[in-house]
Amino acid sequence: MLLLPSVVVFALFVFWPLGRTLYLSVHGNDIFGAPSAYVGADHYREMLSADFGRVLATTALFTLFSVLPAVAGALVVVLLLEARIRGVRVLRTAFALPFAFSVATASVIFAVIYNPAIGVANGLLGAFGIDRVNWLTDPSIALPAVCAATVWMNFGYNILVLSAGVAAIPPEVVEAARLDGATGWRLASRITVPLLSPQLFFLVVVSTIHALQSFGQIHILTKGGPDQATTTLVYSIYEKAFAFGSADFGAASAQAVVLLVIMLACTAVQFGILERRVHYR
Amino acid sequence: MTRLRLRRTMAAFVALVAVAAMGGCGGSGSDAGGDALDAPGAEVLEKATGKTTIEFWHSMKGPNAQAVDQLVADFNAQSGGKVEVKAVFQGSYDETIAKYKASVQQKSTPALVQIYDIGTRFMVDSKQVVPVHKFVEKDAFNAADIEPNIASYYSIDGKLWSMPFNSSTPLLYLNKEAFERAGLDPTKPPRNLTEIGELAKKLTVKDASGKTVQYGFGAAIYGWLLEQLLATDGKEYCDHGNGRTGLASKVQFDQETAVGVAQWWTDLVKGGYATNTGRKTDDAQAAFKAGTVAMHLESTSVLRGYVDAAKGKFTVLTAPYPKVGSSSAGGPIIGGASLWIGGVGHSAQEKRAAWEFVKFASSPAAQAKWHTGTGYVPINAKALEEQIDKDWMAKFPQFRTAVDQLHALPPSVASAGCLLGVMPQARKASEDGLEAAIVGSKPAEQAMKDAAASVQGAIDSYNKSVG
């Protein structure tokens, strides 16, 4: 009885949309996007193509190169900030600052930075006599450029979580290690990082899900281009369903189901493999 | 995933509310049956008690939005309290048509909506709108003043389906000082792509370190520009006479002319004579405004912004849109957007009110204001005779090019533009093809062929659902 409110909310906001997505994924559409005839697994069969394979590969690369650098980079910064240097509070705040930006704001800032004609990035390169780089219009550079923007956006949050983790390490453990002669690298690798493993695990799982769902920065920076180089699964779903007057909700729903399966698989794997190495206190 | 779910859920709620609302008022405002798409006469408003309020969905931003608001305010003021139009901005053209599709499902369409040219076939097939020619016949309205080149886009079998509202033509933009520095005569602009290619080499400037500081050519990878080039070569973009003798069943942007354009563009970029700023028109515009591009293709609708941005830096010149080759004899397509009057789910008063506004908006006085306030070409030929328009053309002679270009050629099938239900997707596919060629991931011919093939599924399924 006490569960009823949450059951109702879940049914309305999770199970019903999920059921609806499954239903739409096996139906065709009329020109307004309303479901029409039952088409079986047609939409799923359409996905067995080189184009969709490329979308999946892009999604994997984007996830890998936006999650790992952001988590590893934040870890390095947090460890360095442990050093007792002047102005460490200012630095910590500065590093955590990206957290305060919304995806849209940050993307617009990066769009200006990457602008081919008036952007800061090319301006800096120009100052060193290096020719313009087509950050968002060269297919081999666009994906790394969008990843870099994403890493920056996620950096602040990662710093906050890891800093809190470091602060929660009992001082007596660190002190004992120091008395035993552990300093610098040894202290970090044997004591701090293992004790941070719950936070690191949390960040990897959450940022992977987050990366798989990323939309704003891609939409604002590249719209999935150039030449499909930044079309991730979520962006492909958006294009099928809403972009260019397309209202192919059937194909979009089928892709959404695939995304759901991928996310479940990723999370299951992470819990199965990584979690065994997590040290919970 | 969450985003999509959220949108679905929201759509579901809206649908629920809409269903409840409809159940509640028992079809009071809507007239059922075949007469939903008829054009009522002026008497329905005269007999009506109280005020008729209608919604007008549009996609105009910035100064153009102010011009819309002014137009609506002028109309409401002169309607004597009988009609009130409420202008509602719905986002980009793509977003507006997406919302319109949703509103059809929810049975809550606006009485008046501005839809881009490439949404024309869809609007006809939606069976939701009263064709404008029915009102024209009812009122014996003089449609002869509507520019024939513009009206031909929105006409099927010679019958006007929607009223053109904002029309633009493409232009060739030149940086006058860049021409002079290179020892070229800016009063003799290039007339075709070959000439642009030759001049681009002379107009590309490198500094001492070998860095390019000015490119000869630069334009956005924008499918519209390709559509225009095909039209200047007299080529049809899709089959069945550009979709005007029957439903188009395939796109033809993999034909020789289009492949030639892709190859030409690719060669310029590869040779370092053109900059590739990608698909975003904003970025290509920024490059021209910054003076880093000497020749540039864009719509007339940005001219005003260019003139303002270049003030004190360089002089913006305009020239007729280039043709593909020296033997090309066609002219560009006069695109833009038009106004559609909602029929299904709207009372006779609402339909009439929408038509009254459409008439007002296309009058010479309103179009002269619109022309001078936005830079779109006037859809009513008489607007050019209004005093404010004459003064303005004297002040900004660059705008003359667009009007001259509009009058230069009689309407043809190629310059009427392609009617295709999934035209927005076809345009996107052509951009995929152009981009793949320009960035060098595929040879031009293969790129355009693959792109044309990629939209076939969407065309087939569209034709199946309306056929």
Side-chain angles (χ1 to χ4, degrees), chain B residues 116-134:
Chain B
Y116 52 6
D117 45 10
I118 54 177
T120 301
R121 183 75 235 178
F122 166 79
M123 290 304 286
V124 170
D125 290 333
S126 76
K127 301 191 170 72
Q128 299 287 318
V129 293
V130 185
V132 159
H133 70 81
K134 286 195 183 171

Side-chain angles (χ1 to χ4, degrees), chain B residues 316-364:
Chain B
V316 179
L317 293 183
T318 57
Y321 196 69
K323 297 180 191 299
V324 175
S326 49
S327 59
S328 303
I333 304 161
I334 314 299
S338 64
L339 303 179
W340 294 83
I341 297 173
V344 175
H346 294 284
S347 67
Q349 288 88 338
E350 287 170 0
K351 289 190 276 186
R352 186 71 205 180
W355 167 243
E356 291 295 336
F357 176 77
V358 166
K359 263 201 299 193
F360 179 82
S362 54
S363 66

Side-chain angles (χ1 to χ4, degrees), chain B residues 80-202:
Chain B
K82 277 276 184 197
V83 179
E84 188 178 352
V85 175
K86 284 202 169 119
V88 187
F89 174 68
Q90 291 289 0
S92 70
Y93 288 140
D94 274 338
E95 284 161 359
T96 302
I97 202 166
K99 286 181 188 171
Y100 186 80
K101 286 181 183 182
S103 77
V104 172
Q105 286 191 56
Q106 292 150 14
K107 300 198 172 24
S108 61
T109 57
L112 192 61
V113 58
Q114 178 198 23
I115 294 285
Y116 52 6
D117 45 10
I118 54 177
T120 301
R121 183 75 235 178
F122 166 79
M123 290 304 286
V124 170
D125 290 333
S126 76
K127 301 191 170 72
Q128 299 287 318
V129 293
V130 185
V132 159
H133 70 81
K134 286 195 183 171
F135 281 106
V136 169
E137 286 149 20
K138 187 100 191 169
D139 281 20
F141 175 80
N142 182 12
D145 290 339
I146 307 299
E147 292 277 2
N149 268 312
I150 300 177
S152 72
Y153 196 110
Y154 307 101
S155 301
I156 297 174
D157 297 332
K159 291 190 183 256
L160 192 63
W161 271 77
S162 59
M163 183 61 88
F165 180 53
N166 54 317
S167 280
S168 54
T169 78
L171 290 178
L172 170 63
Y173 287 91
L174 308 170
N175 179 327
K176 185 182 175 204
E177 282 72 17
F179 268 69
E180 288 169 353
R181 279 196 300 271
L184 298 166
D185 184 357
T187 60
K188 291 201 183 98
R191 285 160 303 176
N192 54 51
L193 297 188
T194 321
E195 291 181 12
I196 290 183
E198 284 160 14
L199 289 185
K201 291 175 188 169
K202 295 180 187 157

Side-chain angles (χ1 to χ4, degrees), chain A residues 193-268:
Chain A
V193 173
L195 287 175
L196 275 178
S197 58
Q199 281 82 12
L200 288 170
F201 177 65
F202 166 80
L203 283 181
V204 168
V205 173
V206 170
S207 354
T208 304
I209 294 176
H210 203 65
L212 286 170
Q213 294 176 334
S214 290
F215 175 81
Q217 59 269 55
I218 296 168
H219 190 53
I220 293 173
L221 289 173
T222 60
K223 296 213 185 298
D227 194 25
Q228 257 76 320
T230 55
T231 303
T232 58
L233 190 41
V234 166
Y235 203 76
S236 166
I237 293 169
Y238 162 77
E239 285 196 333
K240 284 271 181 222
F242 302 109
F244 316 111
S246 169
D248 196 349
F249 293 108
S253 299
Q255 293 192 359
V257 171
V258 170
L259 177 61
L260 177 69
V261 170
I262 290 175
M263 274 195 204
L264 286 177
C266 272
T267 314

Side-chain angles (χ1 to χ4, degrees), chain A residues 115-188:
Chain A
N115 185 293
I118 54 172
V120 181
N122 278 344
L124 274 177
L125 289 183
F128 293 105
I130 303 171
D131 212 348
R132 273 172 235 275
V133 170
N134 293 322
W135 297 103
L136 300 175
T137 54
D138 184 328
S140 55
I141 298 176
L143 187 61
V146 176
C147 284
T150 311
V151 166
W152 185 85
M153 290 170 204
N154 295 341
F155 215 72
Y157 180 69
N158 294 359
I159 294 265
L160 284 178
V161 170
L162 291 179
S163 295
V166 168
I169 294 175
E172 56 271 20
V173 176
V174 180
E175 219 155 282
R178 276 188 204 282
L179 282 178
D180 288 342
T183 49
W185 168 249
R186 221 177 141 72
L187 181 70

